[in-house]
Amino acid sequence: MGFTVLKILLFGPGVRYVPEIVWRSKFFWIAIAVTIVGSILYHNNFFKNPKFMDKSFNLKAENEGSNAVKILYADEGRCGHVWYQSAETKFAMYYEFGSGNCVTNIDIPSLENWEKETKLPLAQRDEVLDFIGHQVVKDQTTSGKGYFKIEGNWLNIYV
């Protein structure tokens, strides 16, 4: 009775007959455990760590090297984070897919929270957001054809 309930919970009623010896085999359960642990490790390393999705672009001339500004993307399905990285700071902004002509909505820090969240002076806000908007349009739209608008606390990407 116990194994029958377990089979239904794990695989549903559409499972073909599996011999009882398989269910009682320690190798079967070890294989399932290895698969689950492997899936979790793969997901954590390749989808949550932005260095694996590094698309780096320079704002300054190439010969300035360490002063280069980078935009990094961490994709988590229908949402994720856009990372801004410079010599002064590194911060993330949440994004989610939009609808219609608006393909992406990026949540930007408000005027009141800008310095606290980004560690950058408020005077640089427009320049930084302009750079992020242009770079995301270039990176994430077909042939860089698109545009962005700052609407409230959202940087929206349109095509």
Side-chain angles (χ1 to χ4, degrees):
M1 171 78 181
F3 280 113
T4 304
V5 172
L6 183 62
K7 284 191 263 186
I8 291 173
L9 287 174
L10 288 176
F11 301 106
V15 174
R16 305 270 181 203
Y17 174 74
V18 178
E20 194 71 25
I21 192 166
V22 172
W23 291 106
R24 294 186 185 273
S25 170
K26 66 179 178 183
F27 298 111
F28 173 75
W29 295 106
I30 290 171
I32 287 181
V34 167
T35 302
I36 291 170
V37 170
S39 296
I40 291 169
L41 291 175
Y42 176 81
H43 185 272
N44 286 341
N45 283 332
F46 290 100
F47 293 108
K48 300 230 180 202
N49 192 342
K51 74 177 181 179
F52 291 102
M53 300 212 163
D54 184 359
K55 289 186 177 180
S56 303
F57 301 93
N58 290 335
L59 176 63
K60 311 243 184 233
E62 289 181 3
N63 59 2
E64 292 182 298
S66 65
N67 292 332
V69 176
K70 297 178 182 182
I71 299 293
L72 308 169
Y73 303 93
D75 183 20
E76 298 171 12
R78 291 194 48 81
C79 62
H81 289 87
V82 175
W83 288 83
Y84 175 88
Q85 181 178 342
S86 68
E88 299 88 29
T89 188
K90 180 177 181 180
F91 62 91
M93 297 173 293
Y94 173 80
Y95 80 83
E96 58 188 33
F97 288 140
S99 62
N101 290 342
C102 180
V103 293
T104 305
N105 308 328
I106 302 171
D107 187 16
I108 57 177
S110 66
L111 289 169
E112 297 81 27
N113 295 329
W114 176 260
E115 291 181 359
K116 184 175 95 176
E117 292 183 28
T118 66
K119 310 293 188 268
L120 292 171
L122 190 57
Q124 290 183 359
R125 185 175 192 265
D126 292 338
E127 177 187 353
V128 169
L129 293 178
D130 188 60
F131 171 72
I132 292 169
H134 281 99
Q135 197 61 57
V136 171
V137 166
K138 181 180 173 186
D139 298 344
Q140 303 297 331
T141 61
T142 306
S143 301
K145 295 179 182 175
Y147 61 98
F148 71 94
K149 284 185 191 176
I150 297 174
E151 299 168 313
N153 287 339
W154 294 96
L155 191 151
N156 296 321
I157 309 296
Y158 294 92
V159 291

